[in-house]
Coordinates of all heavy atoms in Angstrom, one line a residue:
M1 N 35.6 7.3 19.1 CA 35.9 8.6 19.8 C 35.3 9.7 19.1 O 35.1 9.7 17.9 CB 37.4 8.7 20.0 CG 38.1 9.2 18.8 SD 39.9 9.5 19.1 CE 40.5 8.7 17.7
L2 N 34.9 10.8 19.8 CA 34.4 12.0 19.2 C 35.6 12.9 18.8 O 36.4 13.2 19.7 CB 33.4 12.7 20.1 CG 32.9 14.0 19.6 CD1 32.0 13.7 18.4 CD2 32.1 14.7 20.6
V3 N 35.6 13.3 17.6 CA 36.6 14.3 17.1 C 35.9 15.5 16.6 O 35.0 15.4 15.8 CB 37.5 13.7 16.0 CG1 38.5 14.7 15.6 CG2 38.2 12.4 16.5
L4 N 36.2 16.6 17.2 CA 35.6 17.9 16.7 C 36.6 18.5 15.7 O 37.8 18.7 16.1 CB 35.4 18.8 17.9 CG 34.6 20.1 17.6 CD1 33.1 19.8 17.4 CD2 34.8 21.1 18.8
I5 N 36.1 18.7 14.5 CA 37.0 19.3 13.5 C 36.5 20.7 13.1 O 35.3 20.9 12.8 CB 37.0 18.4 12.2 CG1 37.5 17.0 12.6 CG2 37.8 19.0 11.1 CD1 37.3 16.0 11.4
T6 N 37.4 21.6 13.2 CA 37.1 23.0 12.8 C 38.1 23.4 11.7 O 39.2 22.9 11.6 CB 37.2 24.0 13.9 OG1 38.5 24.1 14.3 CG2 36.3 23.5 15.1
Y7 N 37.6 24.3 10.8 CA 38.5 24.7 9.7 C 38.2 26.1 9.3 O 37.1 26.6 9.5 CB 38.4 23.8 8.5 CG 37.0 23.6 7.9 CD1 36.5 24.5 7.0 CD2 36.2 22.5 8.3 CE1 35.2 24.3 6.5 CE2 34.9 22.4 7.8 CZ 34.4 23.3 6.9 OH 33.2 23.1 6.4
D8 N 39.2 26.7 8.8 CA 39.1 28.1 8.2 C 39.9 28.1 6.9 O 41.1 27.9 6.9 CB 39.7 29.1 9.2 CG 39.5 30.5 8.7 OD1 38.6 30.8 7.9 OD2 40.2 31.4 9.2
V9 N 39.1 28.1 5.8 CA 39.7 28.1 4.5 C 39.6 29.5 3.8 O 38.5 30.0 3.8 CB 39.1 27.0 3.6 CG1 39.6 27.0 2.2 CG2 39.2 25.6 4.3
N10 N 40.7 30.0 3.4 CA 40.7 31.3 2.7 C 39.9 31.2 1.4 O 40.4 30.4 0.5 CB 42.1 31.7 2.5 CG 42.2 33.1 1.9 OD1 41.5 33.4 0.9 ND2 43.1 33.9 2.4
T11 N 38.9 31.9 1.2 CA 38.0 31.8 0.0 C 38.1 33.0 -0.9 O 37.2 33.3 -1.7 CB 36.6 31.6 0.4 OG1 36.1 32.6 1.2 CG2 36.4 30.2 1.0
E12 N 39.3 33.8 -0.8 CA 39.4 34.9 -1.7 C 39.7 34.6 -3.1 O 39.5 35.4 -4.0 CB 40.6 35.8 -1.1 CG 40.3 36.4 0.2 CD 41.5 37.2 0.8 OE1 42.5 37.2 0.2 OE2 41.3 37.8 1.8
T13 N 40.0 33.4 -3.4 CA 40.3 32.9 -4.8 C 39.3 31.8 -5.1 O 38.7 31.2 -4.2 CB 41.7 32.4 -5.0 OG1 41.9 31.3 -4.2 CG2 42.7 33.5 -4.6
S14 N 39.2 31.5 -6.4 CA 38.3 30.3 -6.8 C 38.9 29.0 -6.3 O 38.2 28.1 -5.9 CB 38.1 30.3 -8.3 OG 39.3 30.1 -9.0
A15 N 40.2 28.9 -6.2 CA 40.9 27.7 -5.7 C 40.5 27.6 -4.2 O 40.3 26.4 -3.8 CB 42.4 27.8 -5.9
G16 N 40.5 28.6 -3.5 CA 40.1 28.6 -2.1 C 38.7 28.1 -1.9 O 38.4 27.3 -1.0
K17 N 37.8 28.6 -2.7 CA 36.4 28.2 -2.7 C 36.3 26.7 -3.0 O 35.5 26.0 -2.4 CB 35.5 29.0 -3.6 CG 35.4 30.4 -3.2 CD 34.7 31.3 -4.2 CE 34.7 32.7 -3.8 NZ 34.2 33.6 -4.8
T18 N 37.1 26.2 -3.9 CA 37.1 24.8 -4.2 C 37.6 24.0 -3.0 O 37.0 22.9 -2.7 CB 38.0 24.5 -5.5 OG1 37.4 25.2 -6.6 CG2 38.0 23.0 -5.8
R19 N 38.7 24.4 -2.4 CA 39.2 23.7 -1.2 C 38.2 23.7 -0.1 O 38.0 22.7 0.5 CB 40.5 24.4 -0.7 CG 41.7 24.3 -1.6 CD 43.0 24.7 -0.9 NE 42.9 26.0 -0.2 CZ 43.1 27.2 -0.8 NH1 43.4 27.2 -2.1 NH2 43.1 28.3 -0.1
L20 N 37.4 24.8 0.1 CA 36.4 24.8 1.1 C 35.3 23.8 0.9 O 35.0 23.0 1.8 CB 35.8 26.2 1.2 CG 34.6 26.4 2.2 CD1 35.1 26.3 3.6 CD2 33.9 27.7 1.9
R21 N 34.9 23.7 -0.4 CA 33.9 22.6 -0.7 C 34.4 21.2 -0.5 O 33.7 20.4 0.0 CB 33.4 22.8 -2.1 CG 32.4 24.0 -2.3 CD 31.8 24.0 -3.7 NE 32.8 24.1 -4.8 CZ 33.3 25.2 -5.2 NH1 32.9 26.4 -4.7 NH2 34.1 25.2 -6.2
K22 N 35.7 21.0 -0.8 CA 36.3 19.7 -0.7 C 36.4 19.3 0.8 O 36.1 18.2 1.2 CB 37.6 19.6 -1.4 CG 37.5 19.6 -2.9 CD 38.9 19.5 -3.5 CE 38.8 19.4 -5.0 NZ 40.1 19.3 -5.6
V23 N 36.8 20.3 1.6 CA 37.0 20.0 3.1 C 35.6 19.7 3.7 O 35.5 18.7 4.4 CB 37.6 21.2 3.8 CG1 37.5 21.1 5.3 CG2 39.1 21.3 3.4
A24 N 34.6 20.5 3.4 CA 33.3 20.3 3.9 C 32.7 18.9 3.5 O 32.1 18.2 4.3 CB 32.3 21.4 3.5
K25 N 32.9 18.6 2.2 CA 32.4 17.3 1.7 C 33.0 16.1 2.4 O 32.3 15.2 2.8 CB 32.7 17.2 0.2 CG 32.1 15.9 -0.4 CD 32.3 15.9 -1.9 CE 31.7 14.7 -2.5 NZ 31.9 14.6 -4.0
Q26 N 34.3 16.2 2.7 CA 35.0 15.1 3.4 C 34.5 15.0 4.8 O 34.2 13.9 5.4 CB 36.5 15.2 3.4 CG 37.1 14.9 2.1 CD 36.8 13.5 1.6 OE1 36.8 12.6 2.3 NE2 36.6 13.4 0.3
C27 N 34.3 16.2 5.5 CA 33.8 16.2 6.8 C 32.4 15.6 6.9 O 32.0 14.9 7.8 CB 33.9 17.6 7.4 SG 35.5 18.1 7.8
V28 N 31.5 16.0 5.9 CA 30.1 15.5 5.9 C 30.2 13.9 5.8 O 29.3 13.3 6.4 CB 29.4 16.1 4.7 CG1 28.1 15.3 4.4 CG2 29.0 17.5 5.1
N29 N 31.1 13.4 5.1 CA 31.2 11.9 4.9 C 31.5 11.2 6.2 O 31.3 10.0 6.3 CB 32.3 11.6 3.9 CG 31.9 11.9 2.5 OD1 30.7 12.1 2.1 ND2 32.9 12.1 1.6
Y30 N 32.1 11.9 7.2 CA 32.5 11.3 8.4 C 31.7 11.7 9.7 O 31.9 11.2 10.7 CB 34.0 11.5 8.7 CG 34.8 10.6 7.8 CD1 35.2 11.1 6.5 CD2 35.3 9.4 8.2 CE1 36.0 10.3 5.7 CE2 36.1 8.6 7.4 CZ 36.4 9.1 6.1 OH 37.2 8.3 5.3
G31 N 30.9 12.8 9.5 CA 30.3 13.3 10.7 C 29.1 14.2 10.4 O 28.6 14.2 9.3
R32 N 28.8 15.0 11.4 CA 27.7 16.0 11.1 C 28.1 17.4 11.4 O 28.9 17.7 12.3 CB 26.5 15.7 12.0 CG 26.6 16.0 13.4 CD 25.3 15.8 14.2 NE 25.4 16.2 15.6 CZ 24.6 16.9 16.2 NH1 23.5 17.3 15.7 NH2 24.8 17.3 17.5
R33 N 27.6 18.3 10.6 CA 27.9 19.7 10.7 C 27.1 20.3 11.9 O 25.9 20.1 12.0 CB 27.5 20.5 9.5 CG 27.9 22.0 9.5 CD 27.3 22.7 8.3 NE 27.8 22.1 7.0 CZ 28.8 22.6 6.3 NH1 29.4 23.7 6.7 NH2 29.1 22.1 5.2
V34 N 27.8 20.9 12.9 CA 27.2 21.5 14.0 C 27.2 23.0 14.0 O 26.4 23.7 14.6 CB 27.7 21.0 15.4 CG1 27.4 19.5 15.5 CG2 29.2 21.2 15.5
Q35 N 28.1 23.6 13.2 CA 28.2 25.0 12.8 C 28.8 25.1 11.5 O 29.2 24.1 10.9 CB 29.0 25.8 13.9 CG 28.2 25.8 15.2 CD 28.9 26.8 16.2 OE1 30.0 27.3 15.9 NE2 28.4 26.9 17.4
N36 N 28.9 26.3 10.9 CA 29.3 26.4 9.5 C 30.6 25.7 9.2 O 30.7 25.0 8.2 CB 29.4 27.9 9.1 CG 28.1 28.5 8.9 OD1 27.1 27.9 8.7 ND2 28.1 29.9 9.0
S37 N 31.6 25.8 10.0 CA 32.9 25.2 9.8 C 33.3 24.3 10.9 O 34.5 24.2 11.2 CB 34.0 26.2 9.5 OG 33.7 27.0 8.4
V38 N 32.3 23.7 11.5 CA 32.6 22.8 12.7 C 31.8 21.5 12.5 O 30.6 21.5 12.2 CB 32.1 23.5 14.0 CG1 32.4 22.5 15.2 CG2 32.8 24.8 14.2
F39 N 32.5 20.4 12.6 CA 31.9 19.1 12.5 C 32.2 18.2 13.7 O 33.3 18.2 14.2 CB 32.4 18.3 11.2 CG 31.8 18.8 10.0 CD1 32.3 20.0 9.4 CD2 30.8 18.2 9.4 CE1 31.7 20.5 8.2 CE2 30.2 18.6 8.2 CZ 30.7 19.8 7.6
E40 N 31.2 17.4 14.1 CA 31.4 16.4 15.1 C 31.5 15.0 14.4 O 30.6 14.7 13.6 CB 30.2 16.3 16.1 CG 30.2 17.5 17.0 CD 29.0 17.4 18.0 OE1 28.1 16.6 17.7 OE2 29.0 18.2 18.9
C41 N 32.5 14.3 14.6 CA 32.7 13.0 13.9 C 33.0 11.9 14.9 O 33.9 12.1 15.8 CB 33.9 13.1 12.9 SG 33.7 14.4 11.7
I42 N 32.3 10.8 14.8 CA 32.6 9.6 15.6 C 33.5 8.8 14.8 O 33.1 8.2 13.7 CB 31.3 8.9 16.0 CG1 30.3 9.8 16.7 CG2 31.6 7.6 16.8 CD1 30.8 10.2 18.1
L43 N 34.7 8.6 15.2 CA 35.7 7.9 14.4 C 36.5 6.9 15.3 O 36.7 7.1 16.5 CB 36.7 8.9 13.8 CG 36.2 10.1 13.1 CD1 37.3 11.1 12.8 CD2 35.6 9.7 11.8
D44 N 37.0 5.9 14.6 CA 38.0 5.0 15.3 C 39.4 5.6 14.9 O 39.5 6.6 14.2 CB 37.8 3.5 14.9 CG 38.0 3.3 13.4 OD1 38.7 4.0 12.7 OD2 37.4 2.3 13.0
N45 N 40.4 5.0 15.5 CA 41.8 5.6 15.2 C 42.1 5.6 13.7 O 42.7 6.6 13.2 CB 42.8 4.8 16.0 CG 42.8 5.1 17.5 OD1 42.3 6.2 17.9 ND2 43.2 4.2 18.3
A46 N 41.8 4.5 13.0 CA 42.2 4.4 11.6 C 41.4 5.5 10.8 O 42.0 6.2 9.9 CB 41.9 3.0 11.0
Q47 N 40.1 5.7 11.1 CA 39.3 6.7 10.4 C 39.9 8.1 10.7 O 39.9 8.9 9.8 CB 37.9 6.6 10.8 CG 37.2 5.4 10.3 CD 35.8 5.3 10.9 OE1 35.6 5.5 12.1 NE2 34.8 4.9 10.1
S48 N 40.3 8.3 11.9 CA 40.8 9.6 12.3 C 42.1 9.9 11.6 O 42.2 11.1 11.0 CB 41.0 9.6 13.8 OG 41.6 10.8 14.2
V49 N 43.0 9.0 11.5 CA 44.2 9.2 10.7 C 43.9 9.4 9.3 O 44.5 10.3 8.6 CB 45.2 8.0 10.9 CG1 46.4 8.1 10.0 CG2 45.6 7.9 12.4
L50 N 43.0 8.6 8.7 CA 42.7 8.8 7.3 C 42.1 10.1 7.0 O 42.5 10.8 6.0 CB 41.7 7.7 6.8 CG 41.3 7.7 5.4 CD1 42.4 7.5 4.4 CD2 40.2 6.6 5.2
L51 N 41.1 10.5 7.8 CA 40.4 11.8 7.5 C 41.4 13.0 7.7 O 41.4 13.9 6.9 CB 39.2 12.0 8.5 CG 38.4 13.3 8.3 CD1 37.9 13.5 6.9 CD2 37.3 13.3 9.3
K52 N 42.2 12.9 8.7 CA 43.2 14.0 8.9 C 44.2 14.1 7.7 O 44.5 15.2 7.2 CB 44.0 13.8 10.2 CG 45.0 14.8 10.5 CD 45.8 14.6 11.8 CE 46.8 15.6 12.1 NZ 47.5 15.4 13.3
S53 N 44.6 13.0 7.2 CA 45.5 12.9 6.0 C 44.8 13.5 4.8 O 45.4 14.3 4.1 CB 45.9 11.5 5.7 OG 46.6 11.4 4.5
M54 N 43.5 13.1 4.6 CA 42.8 13.7 3.4 C 42.6 15.2 3.5 O 42.8 15.9 2.6 CB 41.4 13.0 3.3 CG 41.5 11.6 2.8 SD 39.8 10.9 2.4 CE 39.1 10.8 4.0
L55 N 42.2 15.7 4.7 CA 42.0 17.1 4.9 C 43.3 17.9 4.8 O 43.3 19.0 4.1 CB 41.3 17.4 6.2 CG 39.9 16.8 6.4 CD1 39.4 17.1 7.8 CD2 39.0 17.4 5.4
T56 N 44.4 17.4 5.3 CA 45.6 18.1 5.2 C 46.2 18.1 3.8 O 46.9 19.1 3.4 CB 46.7 17.6 6.2 OG1 46.9 16.2 5.9 CG2 46.3 17.8 7.6
D57 N 45.8 17.1 3.0 CA 46.2 17.1 1.6 C 45.3 18.2 0.8 O 45.8 18.7 -0.2 CB 45.9 15.7 0.9 CG 47.0 14.7 1.3 OD1 48.0 15.1 1.9 OD2 46.7 13.5 1.1
I58 N 44.1 18.5 1.2 CA 43.3 19.4 0.5 C 43.7 20.9 0.8 O 43.7 21.7 -0.1 CB 41.8 19.2 0.9 CG1 41.3 17.9 0.4 CG2 40.9 20.3 0.4 CD1 39.9 17.5 1.0
I59 N 43.9 21.2 2.0 CA 44.1 22.6 2.4 C 45.5 23.1 1.9 O 46.4 22.4 1.6 CB 44.0 22.9 3.9 CG1 45.1 22.2 4.7 CG2 42.6 22.4 4.4 CD1 45.3 22.8 6.1
D60 N 45.6 24.4 1.9 CA 46.8 25.1 1.6 C 47.3 25.6 3.0 O 46.7 26.6 3.5 CB 46.6 26.3 0.7 CG 47.8 27.1 0.4 OD1 48.9 26.9 1.1 OD2 47.8 27.9 -0.6
E61 N 48.3 25.0 3.5 CA 48.8 25.4 4.9 C 49.3 26.8 5.0 O 49.5 27.3 6.2 CB 49.8 24.3 5.4 CG 49.2 23.0 5.5 CD 50.2 21.9 6.1 OE1 51.1 22.4 6.8 OE2 50.0 20.8 5.9
E62 N 49.5 27.5 3.9 CA 50.0 28.8 4.0 C 48.9 29.8 4.3 O 49.1 30.9 4.9 CB 50.6 29.2 2.6 CG 51.8 28.4 2.3 CD 53.0 28.7 3.2 OE1 53.2 29.8 3.6 OE2 53.7 27.7 3.6
V63 N 47.6 29.5 4.0 CA 46.5 30.4 4.2 C 45.3 29.8 4.9 O 44.4 30.5 5.3 CB 46.0 31.0 2.8 CG1 47.1 31.9 2.2 CG2 45.6 29.9 1.8
D64 N 45.2 28.4 5.0 CA 44.1 27.7 5.6 C 44.5 27.1 6.9 O 45.7 27.0 7.2 CB 43.6 26.6 4.7 CG 43.2 27.1 3.3 OD1 42.9 28.3 3.1 OD2 43.3 26.2 2.4
S65 N 43.5 26.7 7.7 CA 43.9 26.0 9.0 C 42.8 25.0 9.3 O 41.6 25.1 8.9 CB 44.0 27.0 10.2 OG 42.7 27.6 10.5
L66 N 43.3 24.0 10.0 CA 42.4 22.9 10.5 C 42.7 22.7 12.0 O 43.9 22.9 12.4 CB 42.8 21.5 9.8 CG 42.4 21.3 8.4 CD1 43.1 20.1 7.9 CD2 40.9 21.1 8.3
R67 N 41.7 22.4 12.8 CA 41.9 22.1 14.2 C 41.2 20.8 14.5 O 40.0 20.6 14.1 CB 41.4 23.2 15.1 CG 42.2 24.5 14.9 CD 41.8 25.6 15.8 NE 42.0 25.3 17.2 CZ 43.1 25.8 17.8 NH1 44.0 26.5 17.2 NH2 43.3 25.5 19.1
F68 N 41.8 19.9 15.2 CA 41.2 18.6 15.6 C 41.2 18.5 17.1 O 42.2 18.7 17.7 CB 42.0 17.4 15.1 CG 42.1 17.4 13.6 CD1 43.1 18.1 12.9 CD2 41.2 16.6 12.8 CE1 43.2 18.1 11.5 CE2 41.3 16.6 11.4 CZ 42.3 17.3 10.8
Y69 N 40.0 18.4 17.7 CA 39.8 18.2 19.1 C 39.4 16.8 19.4 O 38.3 16.4 19.0 CB 38.8 19.2 19.7 CG 39.1 20.6 19.4 CD1 38.7 21.3 18.3 CD2 39.8 21.4 20.4 CE1 39.1 22.6 18.1 CE2 40.1 22.7 20.2 CZ 39.7 23.3 19.0 OH 40.0 24.6 18.8
Y70 N 40.3 16.0 20.1 CA 40.0 14.6 20.3 C 39.4 14.5 21.7 O 40.0 14.6 22.7 CB 41.3 13.8 20.3 CG 42.0 13.9 18.9 CD1 43.0 14.9 18.7 CD2 41.5 13.1 17.9 CE1 43.5 15.0 17.4 CE2 42.1 13.2 16.6 CZ 43.1 14.2 16.4 OH 43.7 14.3 15.1
L71 N 38.0 14.3 21.7 CA 37.3 14.3 23.0 C 37.1 12.9 23.5 O 36.6 12.8 24.6 CB 35.9 15.0 22.7 CG 36.0 16.4 22.3 CD1 34.6 17.0 22.1 CD2 36.7 17.3 23.3
G72 N 37.6 11.9 22.8 CA 37.5 10.6 23.3 C 36.2 9.9 23.3 O 35.3 10.3 22.6
N73 N 36.1 8.8 24.0 CA 34.9 8.0 24.1 C 33.9 8.5 25.1 O 32.7 8.2 25.0 CB 35.2 6.5 24.3 CG 35.9 5.9 23.1 OD1 35.6 6.3 21.9 ND2 36.9 5.1 23.3
N74 N 34.3 9.2 26.1 CA 33.4 9.7 27.2 C 33.1 11.2 26.9 O 33.0 12.0 27.8 CB 34.1 9.5 28.5 CG 34.3 8.1 28.9 OD1 33.5 7.2 28.6 ND2 35.5 7.8 29.4
Y75 N 32.8 11.5 25.7 CA 32.6 12.9 25.3 C 31.3 13.4 25.8 O 31.1 14.7 25.9 CB 32.6 13.0 23.7 CG 31.6 12.1 23.0 CD1 30.4 12.6 22.8 CD2 31.9 10.8 22.6 CE1 29.4 11.9 22.2 CE2 31.0 10.1 22.0 CZ 29.7 10.6 21.8 OH 28.8 9.8 21.2
K76 N 30.3 12.6 26.1 CA 29.0 13.1 26.5 C 29.1 14.0 27.7 O 28.3 14.9 27.9 CB 28.0 12.0 26.7 CG 27.7 11.3 25.3 CD 26.6 10.3 25.4 CE 26.4 9.7 24.1 NZ 25.4 8.6 24.0
T77 N 30.0 13.8 28.6 CA 30.2 14.6 29.8 C 31.0 15.8 29.5 O 31.1 16.7 30.3 CB 30.9 13.8 30.9 OG1 32.2 13.4 30.4 CG2 30.1 12.6 31.3
K78 N 31.6 15.9 28.3 CA 32.4 17.1 27.9 C 31.8 18.0 27.0 O 32.4 19.1 26.6 CB 33.7 16.5 27.3 CG 34.5 15.6 28.2 CD 35.7 15.0 27.5 CE 36.4 14.1 28.4 NZ 37.5 13.3 27.6
V79 N 30.6 17.7 26.5 CA 29.9 18.6 25.5 C 28.6 19.1 26.1 O 27.8 18.3 26.6 CB 29.6 17.8 24.2 CG1 28.8 18.7 23.2 CG2 30.9 17.3 23.6
E80 N 28.5 20.4 26.1 CA 27.3 21.0 26.5 C 26.7 21.9 25.4 O 27.5 22.6 24.7 CB 27.6 21.9 27.7 CG 26.3 22.6 28.3 CD 26.6 23.4 29.5 OE1 27.7 23.3 30.1 OE2 25.8 24.2 29.9
H81 N 25.4 21.8 25.1 CA 24.8 22.5 24.0 C 23.7 23.4 24.5 O 22.9 23.0 25.3 CB 24.3 21.5 23.0 CG 23.6 22.1 21.8 ND1 22.3 22.3 21.7 CD2 24.1 22.8 20.8 CE1 22.0 22.9 20.6 NE2 23.1 23.2 20.0
V82 N 23.7 24.6 24.0 CA 22.6 25.5 24.3 C 22.1 26.1 23.0 O 22.9 26.5 22.2 CB 23.1 26.7 25.3 CG1 22.0 27.7 25.5 CG2 23.7 26.1 26.6
G83 N 20.8 26.2 22.9 CA 20.2 26.8 21.7 C 19.7 25.7 20.7 O 19.5 24.6 21.0
V84 N 19.6 26.2 19.4 CA 19.0 25.3 18.4 C 19.9 24.2 18.1 O 21.1 24.3 17.9 CB 18.8 26.2 17.1 CG1 18.3 25.3 16.0 CG2 17.8 27.3 17.4
N85 N 19.3 23.0 18.1 CA 20.0 21.7 17.8 C 19.9 21.5 16.3 O 18.8 21.5 15.7 CB 19.5 20.6 18.6 CG 20.4 19.4 18.5 OD1 21.4 19.4 17.9 ND2 20.0 18.4 19.3
R86 N 21.0 21.1 15.6 CA 21.0 20.8 14.2 C 21.0 19.3 14.0 O 22.0 18.7 13.9 CB 22.3 21.4 13.5 CG 22.3 22.9 13.5 CD 23.4 23.4 12.6 NE 23.3 24.8 12.4 CZ 23.9 25.4 11.4 NH1 24.7 24.8 10.6 NH2 23.7 26.7 11.2
G87 N 19.8 18.8 13.8 CA 19.7 17.4 13.5 C 20.0 16.4 14.6 O 20.1 16.8 15.8
I88 N 20.2 15.2 14.2 CA 20.5 14.1 15.2 C 22.0 14.1 15.6 O 22.8 14.6 14.9 CB 20.1 12.7 14.7 CG1 21.0 12.3 13.5 CG2 18.6 12.7 14.3 CD1 20.9 10.9 13.1
A89 N 22.2 13.6 16.8 CA 23.6 13.5 17.3 C 24.4 12.6 16.4 O 23.9 11.7 15.7 CB 23.6 13.0 18.7
A90 N 25.7 12.8 16.4 CA 26.6 12.0 15.5 C 26.6 10.5 15.8 O 26.9 9.7 15.0 CB 28.1 12.6 15.7
D91 N 26.3 10.2 17.1 CA 26.3 8.7 17.4 C 24.9 8.1 17.4 O 24.8 6.9 17.8 CB 27.0 8.5 18.8 CG 26.2 9.3 19.9 OD1 25.4 10.1 19.6 OD2 26.5 9.0 21.1
E92 N 23.9 8.8 17.0 CA 22.5 8.3 17.0 C 22.3 7.6 15.6 O 22.9 7.9 14.6 CB 21.5 9.4 17.2 CG 21.4 9.9 18.6 CD 20.3 10.9 18.8 OE1 19.5 11.1 17.9 OE2 20.4 11.6 19.8
T93 N 21.4 6.6 15.7 CA 21.0 5.8 14.5 C 20.1 6.6 13.6 O 19.1 7.2 14.1 CB 20.4 4.5 14.8 OG1 21.3 3.8 15.7 CG2 20.1 3.7 13.6
L94 N 20.3 6.7 12.3 CA 19.4 7.3 11.4 C 18.8 6.3 10.5 O 19.5 5.5 9.8 CB 20.2 8.3 10.5 CG 19.4 9.0 9.4 CD1 18.3 9.9 10.0 CD2 20.4 9.9 8.6
I95 N 17.5 6.2 10.5 CA 16.8 5.2 9.7 C 16.1 5.9 8.6 O 15.3 6.8 8.8 CB 15.8 4.4 10.6 CG1 16.5 3.7 11.7 CG2 15.0 3.4 9.7 CD1 15.6 3.0 12.7
L96 N 16.4 5.5 7.4 CA 15.8 6.1 6.2 C 14.7 5.2 5.6 O 14.7 4.1 5.6 CB 16.8 6.4 5.1 CG 17.9 7.3 5.5 CD1 19.0 7.4 4.5 CD2 17.4 8.7 5.8

């Protein structure tokens, strides 16, 4: 299923900047960045639960926020893109 993850991490302190890097790194491991704090991730249920757990352990819920949009398996009819495309789609094969 496609999960859209967005986050807002308070970076007024060095601890906040560290949390921001950790959140972004975990999201990169599971999907692709489509905007600065927005990732598209193709996940199964177990991966989704694991990633959500990791991210909620990283953030400070008093000053940071996470949003998870579960778009399901038929997401291609639910996503419309206009403008510059950033790389390949999350579900496309990448050959190195």
Side-chain angles (χ1 to χ4, degrees):
M1 75 176 132
L2 178 66
V3 179
L4 188 71
I5 300 172
T6 67
Y7 55 87
D8 186 19
V9 177
N10 183 312
T11 58
E12 293 177 356
T13 66
S14 62
K17 292 174 185 174
T18 299
R19 288 193 312 274
L20 177 66
R21 286 190 299 275
K22 287 181 179 181
V23 168
K25 184 176 181 180
Q26 287 303 321
C27 289
V28 165
N29 289 338
Y30 285 87
R32 75 173 181 135
R33 184 187 301 262
V34 292
Q35 292 186 357
N36 286 338
S37 297
V38 181
F39 283 81
E40 291 179 346
C41 303
I42 303 293
L43 307 169
D44 60 30
N45 286 333
Q47 290 171 318
S48 179
V49 169
L50 178 63
L51 181 56
K52 182 177 179 182
S53 174
M54 286 189 292
L55 294 177
T56 54
D57 286 346
I58 293 169
I59 69 162
D60 178 349
E61 293 185 25
E62 298 294 320
V63 293
D64 304 333
S65 69
L66 288 168
R67 294 180 70 95
F68 299 86
Y69 298 88
Y70 300 96
L71 299 178
N73 291 322
N74 297 320
Y75 60 88
K76 290 184 181 182
T77 61
K78 299 174 185 171
V79 177
E80 182 177 346
H81 179 259
V82 177
V84 176
N85 194 357
R86 290 190 170 196
I88 65 168
D91 62 347
E92 288 182 13
T93 303
L94 176 63
I95 300 172
L96 298 173

